[in-house]
Amino acid sequence: MQINTTSRRGLGRLTVALAGAALCVGISASPTGADPLWPGGPEVPGVSTPSAPSTTPSTSPSEDRPLGRANFSTPSLDPADGETVGVAQPVVIRFQDAIDDKKTAEKAIRVTTSPEVEGYLYWVDHKEVRWKPEGFWPAGTDVTVEAGSATSKFTIGESWVATADDNTHTITVAVDGDVVRTMPMSMGSNDNPTPNGVYTVGERFADMYMDSSTYGVPVDSPDGYRTYVEYATRISNSGIFVHAAPWSVGQQGNTNVSHGCLNVSTEDGRWFFENAPKGAPVIVQNTIGGTVDATDGLTDFTTP
């Protein structure tokens, strides 16, 4: 068992990417769905506009030293107590008020893992700090997070990893190293290529509208769209989803035609929607889209 709170503020993992156009954003078709997302949309509930991260190094509490006195009110913790999450889920600590003295705040934070997992803290902005391991979490790790008066104990589930490969135009899902499903896929076209990188499974919607106006492209413009989709699983805050796209089944497995999302059949979209755990990694590789912005908020495990 080890307690790890090393700070790497210079990495600057921000909550929301403020630069670059979102490729495939939407709003839920149901009253309880998501609001339009950045860029161009209103603020996402629970997501703050980031400021530049601090680069000042700090010391952290050692394993045999008690936690320091918190200079913050009770924060919210994600994952929540009792959750089981995927191997690419960071610890997210959100404060009620801005933290000016980050060094003091860090002394009141402790992440304990069993078995031992090396990791580090990194500030998103003055109201959010995160912790992640150097690589993916080992499956079955038990994690305890203490931040002032808040505590969360959660578990890392099985190693559920999806790989979207533009060379084969497929998404391959492996669980604990064994391939369980291979799905033909169409991702971003040459005009809207999907960036490479490690994405993280977030929220999901049984149905929603993909709407280009949420990032500044009018629906009635040549590049605009407003499309109803089913079984949409978010993998980036900038608006990339894995979703059912029955209109592109003929291109899935051979040609990229989407605005950036990962298009699959209705059957495969539903399977992904029902089986991909929160915090599971989706590795996108071999595209012409460069590398995804590591400050997106669901791309913490991407190497910039």
Side-chain angles (χ1 to χ4, degrees), residues 7-247:
S7 176
R8 287 191 182 180
R9 294 182 186 151
L11 293 181
R13 301 289 201 267
L14 307 182
T15 304
V16 182
L18 294 183
L23 301 177
C24 191
V25 300
I27 56 176
S28 171
S30 65
T32 57
D35 292 326
L37 300 181
W38 290 99
E43 184 170 320
V44 183
V47 176
S48 55
T49 304
S51 57
S54 170
T55 56
T56 305
S58 66
T59 58
S60 302
S62 63
E63 186 170 352
D64 57 354
R65 190 172 69 187
L67 289 175
R69 183 173 180 177
N71 60 343
F72 48 81
S73 302
T74 303
S76 66
L77 303 181
D78 183 24
D81 190 58
E83 275 196 282
T84 298
V85 296
V87 298
Q89 174 65 49
V91 173
V92 181
I93 302 171
R94 297 188 181 97
F95 303 100
Q96 298 181 41
D97 302 302
I99 303 297
D100 293 324
D101 186 352
K102 293 183 173 71
K103 184 178 295 186
T104 296
E106 289 174 3
K107 292 178 181 179
I109 297 169
R110 179 162 56 202
V111 177
T112 307
T113 67
S114 179
E116 175 182 332
V117 178
E118 294 293 334
Y120 53 90
L121 283 170
Y122 49 102
W123 285 88
V124 166
D125 57 24
H126 288 284
K127 297 183 72 173
E128 182 175 316
V129 67
R130 296 185 174 197
W131 190 99
K132 65 180 284 291
E134 295 285 351
F136 291 154
W137 291 96
T141 302
D142 291 319
V143 185
T144 299
V145 182
E146 299 167 89
S149 57
T151 301
S152 176
K153 296 181 179 181
F154 65 91
T155 300
I156 305 301
E158 60 192 3
S159 178
W160 199 104
V161 180
T163 302
D165 192 335
D166 200 21
N167 285 345
T168 61
H169 296 287
T170 59
I171 299 175
T172 302
V173 177
V175 178
D176 292 333
D178 297 324
V179 174
V180 297
R181 196 174 184 96
T182 300
M183 299 174 281
M185 163 202 67
S186 178
M187 60 173 108
S189 67
N190 288 347
D191 292 334
N192 302 283
T194 308
N196 298 281
V198 180
Y199 299 76
T200 298
V201 170
E203 62 189 343
R204 61 201 73 203
F205 305 98
D207 55 0
M208 68 187 303
Y209 281 95
M210 301 291 181
D211 191 331
S212 63
S213 66
T214 61
Y215 62 94
V217 178
V219 172
D220 57 358
S221 71
D223 294 323
Y225 58 88
R226 178 175 170 81
T227 305
Y228 173 81
V229 303
E230 294 183 306
Y231 305 119
T233 301
R234 182 185 299 283
I235 60 172
S236 84
N237 276 332
S238 58
I240 299 177
F241 290 75
V242 178
H243 67 80
W247 57 86

